[in-house]
Amino acid sequence: MTAELVRGQNHTLPQTRLEIRVSAGSPVVAGATLGDERGVVRGAEWIAHPGSPQLPGLEVSQQAAAGHRLAVDLEALPEAVHRVTVLLALPVGVGGPARFGATAAPFVAVTGLDGTEIATFTLTGLDTESAVTALELYRRQDAWKVRAVGQGYAAGLAEMLADQGLSGAAELAASIQEAVARSLARSVAPPPPRTPEGDRVRQASGPPDPGPAPATSPAATPAQPPTATSTGTAAAPAPGGPINYAHPRRQHAAPPTPPPTAPPAQPGQAAQPVAGDATGWSMDERLYNQIWGMFEDLARAAAAYRSAVDFAESRMDQELDRSLSDPRNRIGGAGDRAREEARAKRDELTARAREVLDRDLAQLAAEAAVVEPALPAAYAGWDNPVWHAHRIPMELPMALRLGDLHLPERTDLRIPLLVRLPLERGMWVDSGRTASEAAALMDGDRLRRLAMETAVLHAARLLAVYPPGEFSVHVIDPAGSAAGPLAPLVDAGVLAGPPAAGPQGVAAVLAHLTRRVDLVQMAVRAGAADSLPPDLDTGEQLLVVNDFPHGFDDRAVTQLRYLADEGPAVGVHLLMVADREDASAYGPVLDPLWRSLLRITPVADSHLADPWVGHAWTYEPPVTPPGSRVLEQVLAAVTAARRAAGR
């Protein structure tokens, strides 16, 4: 049975040797890119296009045409490839349409070698776009799936390639268009029209351009893209290119440790999930990649379900409009029967979509149940037993957990929210009552205390995952109102100094950190890092600010903005606890400050937007189990590790 996909929906592929057939209303350029486990295209050698149509396991057409057949052999792809993205673009300079909105919607079908359709996707809704990511084949838990994407780009092929992390995208796009223009593009007849019932009309005209034969051998294979320099250290990314997550201090390049494999599934049953079922150099990196894979799968599954429900509602409305457009059907039994039939079809489509969603959610829930207990301390929740045996590490972990994310389709399915370390931006714990519906129902004093407790938990986690002496925490509490929440940090002796109070204390701390930022910036720019003063702490610094802007004059506000903008690049980070309404007197002056910080809340709130699929994720802040002393135990371990290291 053919799966008719909608934007964001995925479908499991039953075989690995495939054809991807493209039908368009006018000649288009068809190509494909290969991506690693993060979806990054490592170089031009990972792109199949008319000027370079063959890659291992992949072959595309050599010209622009209205019909294409792309040959794919998933088993013949390089081992590092986890994603194949099919691209369509309108040729430039051949007299055709300049945007997809001026032509019929492209139709893409994934078929077996015998032509049996596995999944189809019609790219509707395109307008000014001249290039589009049609669909992608991706590997998930040793199985390949196809996902309908339909992401258009008004700036054309160059923007689309740049979005996949390719440096030199503009030059490559120009060379592709030049190769297309040089060839005599052979236009194929447009796709046959659809009947009112939606089936394609079979015509007796000649077949479309057969395209290349299936790719089954790595003949004429280009050299594999390098992953490391000749010295064995990870290659640095090109300026403006993708972020390179390879370990910069690794001295000997070696292939990543293969992830653990799941036990073979019984016939008719899904494979059992395994913690670390992703690529990476270490278990921590594999778990990090697996968590983000789960996040992506949950986002796409929910998007597919919502899109299917919207489609079912729209189809019911259209059927009712057609049926009731005849006045004779508006009265009597005919109208009632039409309504019942339309609603029955709507309910059937919705039920089928829900069945698919429940299946995907059950699989993700099973994976989460296996992954959560295996997480290291930096990724784990405070209720994870790993904290009771936690030892302060000697190396910085990849990422840090800030809380959990979930969607309304299944609120008990939580995905850890991880951010990379070192932090690239500061954080703002919103203590305002207008921040969310849950905050509006809470007492103001209780909400401010809860916000400060959340900030303390984040500070404690950062102290616990950094090597001893490489992370310091400063606190500004102008009115001394956060003495209670700050007690665990103060009692453990892990702060760089007593919490600063009053205007003089605020000015002293800000002056100290501003001086550090200035000195480190000058040393870095001059290439003289060894000339820093001996009393300067070169470790990472975190400034926790409570109840901003109370106790801040104009000079202090300017210094705080400076630290927010320039601090992260040299290891100084902000963690603010503030109500934006309290700072409204400053007007738009503080808008850049709020935008530069990652906003989190002390209570559950649906404020984290996912622009790709349009979700509003619900953020759940971290909490310690009731009655637990895990926070005190972890801070005591930090103190002991510092003492042992002589810090």
XYZ file of all heavy atoms in Angstrom, residues 428-436 439-440 442-452 545-548 550 576-582 594 599-603:
322
model
N 18.336 33.512 31.248
C 17.467 34.413 31.989
C 16.304 33.594 32.547
O 15.502 33.051 31.792
C 16.978 35.547 31.077
C 15.761 36.275 31.551
C 15.426 36.594 32.827
C 14.708 36.790 30.720
N 14.233 37.275 32.865
C 13.771 37.413 31.583
C 14.463 36.798 29.345
C 12.602 38.022 31.108
C 13.302 37.404 28.880
C 12.397 38.001 29.746
N 16.239 33.492 33.879
C 15.124 32.826 34.535
C 14.055 33.889 34.778
O 14.244 34.801 35.595
C 15.559 32.175 35.866
C 14.388 31.415 36.474
C 16.735 31.243 35.650
N 12.961 33.781 34.066
C 11.903 34.794 34.098
C 11.068 34.618 35.368
O 10.359 33.621 35.529
C 11.030 34.671 32.856
C 10.115 35.878 32.659
O 9.998 36.679 33.599
O 9.530 36.002 31.569
N 11.141 35.605 36.258
C 10.381 35.543 37.505
C 9.091 36.346 37.440
O 8.449 36.575 38.470
C 11.243 36.072 38.658
O 11.624 37.427 38.426
N 8.686 36.781 36.250
C 7.474 37.581 36.103
C 6.216 36.738 36.137
O 6.179 35.610 35.636
N 5.151 37.290 36.688
C 3.878 36.572 36.762
C 3.166 36.544 35.424
O 2.247 35.731 35.230
C 2.977 37.220 37.813
C 3.513 37.100 39.234
C 2.504 37.610 40.237
N 1.288 36.808 40.227
C 0.157 37.142 40.874
N 0.117 38.275 41.557
N -0.891 36.368 40.829
N 3.536 37.411 34.518
C 2.921 37.411 33.189
C 3.639 36.473 32.229
O 3.297 36.415 31.055
C 2.939 38.830 32.605
O 4.290 39.294 32.516
C 2.137 39.785 33.485
N 4.637 35.755 32.718
C 5.433 34.903 31.829
C 4.632 33.720 31.302
O 4.814 33.281 30.180
C 6.674 34.404 32.560
N 3.738 33.174 32.111
C 2.972 32.004 31.683
C 1.696 31.922 32.507
O 1.510 32.642 33.499
C 3.794 30.723 31.860
O 4.021 30.476 33.238
N 2.476 30.748 36.004
C 3.070 31.795 36.821
C 2.035 32.798 37.286
O 2.123 33.339 38.401
C 4.168 32.499 36.032
N 1.023 33.080 36.458
C 0.000 34.050 36.826
C -0.814 33.592 38.024
O -1.376 34.418 38.755
C -0.903 34.323 35.632
N 0.389 31.982 40.591
C 1.270 31.795 41.738
C 1.524 33.123 42.433
O 1.566 34.177 41.799
C 2.588 31.153 41.275
C 3.523 30.732 42.391
S 4.965 29.831 41.740
C 4.177 28.339 41.122
N 1.715 33.067 43.730
C 2.072 34.244 44.498
C 3.413 34.795 44.012
O 4.344 34.037 43.714
C 2.153 33.881 45.984
C 2.640 35.034 46.832
O 1.867 35.982 47.027
O 3.798 34.980 47.294
N 3.520 36.145 43.952
C 4.720 36.770 43.415
C 5.978 36.429 44.189
O 7.024 36.144 43.604
N 5.907 36.464 45.519
C 7.085 36.143 46.326
C 7.503 34.692 46.141
O 8.699 34.382 46.050
C 6.791 36.412 47.802
C 6.625 37.901 48.096
O 7.126 38.712 47.289
O 5.981 38.231 49.108
N 6.511 33.802 46.100
C 6.824 32.387 45.894
C 7.451 32.169 44.520
O 8.395 31.380 44.381
C 5.536 31.561 46.027
C 5.661 30.101 45.616
C 6.701 29.379 46.430
N 6.870 28.005 46.006
C 7.981 27.296 46.197
N 9.022 27.858 46.799
N 8.066 26.056 45.790
N 6.978 32.889 43.503
C 7.516 32.731 42.157
C 8.962 33.214 42.092
O 9.817 32.572 41.464
C 6.651 33.498 41.158
C 7.021 33.347 39.686
C 6.883 31.895 39.246
C 6.143 34.239 38.817
N 9.259 34.349 42.738
C 10.635 34.846 42.729
C 11.575 33.891 43.457
O 12.717 33.678 43.025
C 10.678 36.241 43.364
C 10.169 37.346 42.441
C 10.448 38.716 43.023
N 9.609 38.975 44.188
C 8.389 39.515 44.121
N 7.892 39.856 42.933
N 7.685 39.734 45.216
N 11.108 33.315 44.559
C 11.953 32.350 45.265
C 12.184 31.107 44.403
O 13.303 30.587 44.338
C 11.300 31.953 46.592
C 12.139 30.954 47.397
C 11.448 30.537 48.677
N 12.238 29.553 49.400
C 13.174 29.838 50.289
N 13.440 31.112 50.575
N 13.854 28.884 50.890
N 11.133 30.652 43.724
C 11.266 29.477 42.864
C 12.229 29.761 41.710
O 13.012 28.885 41.309
C 9.890 29.073 42.326
C 9.747 27.675 41.742
C 10.080 26.614 42.766
C 8.324 27.477 41.217
N 12.193 30.976 41.176
C 13.107 31.340 40.092
C 14.552 31.303 40.571
O 15.453 30.826 39.857
C 12.754 32.718 39.554
N 14.801 31.796 41.785
C 16.164 31.774 42.307
C 16.612 30.353 42.610
O 17.782 29.997 42.382
C 16.248 32.637 43.569
C 17.676 32.972 43.963
S 18.518 33.902 42.659
C 20.223 33.689 43.129
N 22.704 36.950 38.804
C 22.150 38.255 39.178
C 20.710 38.051 39.616
O 19.885 37.557 38.838
C 22.219 39.245 38.001
C 21.615 40.591 38.406
C 23.654 39.431 37.536
N 20.410 38.430 40.848
C 19.054 38.293 41.380
C 18.346 39.646 41.379
O 18.942 40.679 41.673
C 19.089 37.737 42.808
C 17.693 37.587 43.384
O 16.791 37.088 42.720
N 17.497 38.034 44.618
N 17.066 39.603 41.023
C 16.176 40.750 41.186
C 16.625 41.963 40.378
O 16.484 43.107 40.822
C 16.076 41.128 42.671
C 14.661 41.565 43.037
O 13.756 41.360 42.206
O 14.474 42.099 44.137
N 17.169 41.726 39.185
C 17.515 42.835 38.300
C 16.242 43.596 37.926
O 15.193 42.989 37.710
C 18.201 42.285 37.043
C 18.519 43.306 36.001
C 19.656 44.082 36.114
C 17.691 43.499 34.905
C 19.960 45.027 35.148
C 17.987 44.438 33.935
C 19.128 45.205 34.058
N 16.987 46.054 40.312
C 17.127 46.693 41.616
C 18.599 46.742 42.016
O 19.315 45.742 41.956
C 16.322 45.935 42.663
C 14.853 45.897 42.359
N 14.086 47.033 42.287
C 14.014 44.868 42.093
C 12.834 46.705 42.005
N 12.765 45.392 41.868
N 20.653 35.398 34.859
C 19.854 36.453 35.470
C 18.518 35.914 35.947
O 17.882 35.103 35.267
C 19.615 37.597 34.479
C 20.855 38.406 34.168
S 20.521 39.753 33.022
C 19.155 40.570 33.832
N 18.096 36.384 37.113
C 16.758 36.131 37.632
C 16.060 37.478 37.660
O 16.440 38.360 38.448
C 16.802 35.499 39.034
C 15.395 35.285 39.559
C 17.565 34.184 38.995
N 15.078 37.670 36.792
C 14.506 39.005 36.635
C 13.099 38.914 36.062
O 12.745 37.948 35.376
C 15.386 39.862 35.720
N 12.324 39.956 36.358
C 11.008 40.170 35.769
C 11.158 41.327 34.791
O 11.519 42.444 35.182
C 9.989 40.502 36.853
C 8.585 40.749 36.289
O 8.418 40.678 35.059
O 7.675 41.025 37.095
N 10.882 41.085 33.529
C 11.094 42.120 32.517
C 10.247 43.362 32.794
O 10.640 44.476 32.438
C 10.783 41.556 31.135
C 11.194 42.466 29.998
C 11.136 41.753 28.666
N 11.577 42.599 27.580
C 11.744 42.181 26.329
N 11.528 40.917 26.024
N 12.141 43.019 25.384
N 9.094 43.171 33.424
C 8.248 44.313 33.736
C 8.942 45.263 34.710
O 8.731 46.476 34.661
C 6.919 43.831 34.320
C 6.048 43.072 33.339
C 5.592 43.937 32.175
O 5.311 45.130 32.414
O 5.535 43.432 31.042
N 9.767 44.727 35.611
C 10.467 45.589 36.563
C 11.467 46.505 35.871
O 11.822 47.560 36.414
C 11.204 44.740 37.604
C 10.248 43.988 38.525
O 9.064 44.383 38.576
O 10.685 43.014 39.168
N 17.781 41.260 26.670
C 16.834 40.141 26.772
C 16.992 39.189 25.594
O 16.911 37.965 25.755
C 15.400 40.657 26.842
C 15.145 41.646 27.941
C 14.736 42.939 27.808
C 15.278 41.429 29.355
N 14.611 43.543 29.028
C 14.940 42.636 30.007
C 15.664 40.346 30.131
C 14.964 42.777 31.385
C 15.692 40.486 31.508
C 15.347 41.681 32.121
N 15.825 32.424 27.442
C 14.783 32.566 28.462
C 14.273 31.200 28.892
O 13.846 30.385 28.075
C 13.621 33.406 27.931
C 12.445 33.513 28.899
C 11.350 34.408 28.332
N 10.168 34.374 29.188
C 9.096 33.618 28.972
N 9.064 32.825 27.910
N 8.067 33.646 29.798
N 14.323 30.953 30.201
C 13.736 29.764 30.797
C 12.845 30.215 31.946
O 12.895 31.366 32.381
C 14.807 28.763 31.279
C 15.785 29.445 32.243
C 15.548 28.153 30.098
C 16.879 28.532 32.744
N 12.022 29.330 32.441
C 11.032 29.707 33.448
C 11.135 28.782 34.654
O 11.569 27.632 34.531
C 9.613 29.620 32.861
O 9.411 28.319 32.297
C 9.407 30.662 31.778
N 10.718 29.267 35.828
C 10.741 28.411 37.022
C 9.553 27.477 37.117
O 9.505 26.632 38.005
C 10.746 29.429 38.165
C 10.027 30.605 37.618
C 10.354 30.655 36.157
N 8.573 27.633 36.228
C 7.408 26.749 36.162
C 7.236 26.304 34.715
O 7.807 26.902 33.795
C 6.131 27.463 36.666
C 6.222 27.756 38.154
C 5.878 28.748 35.890
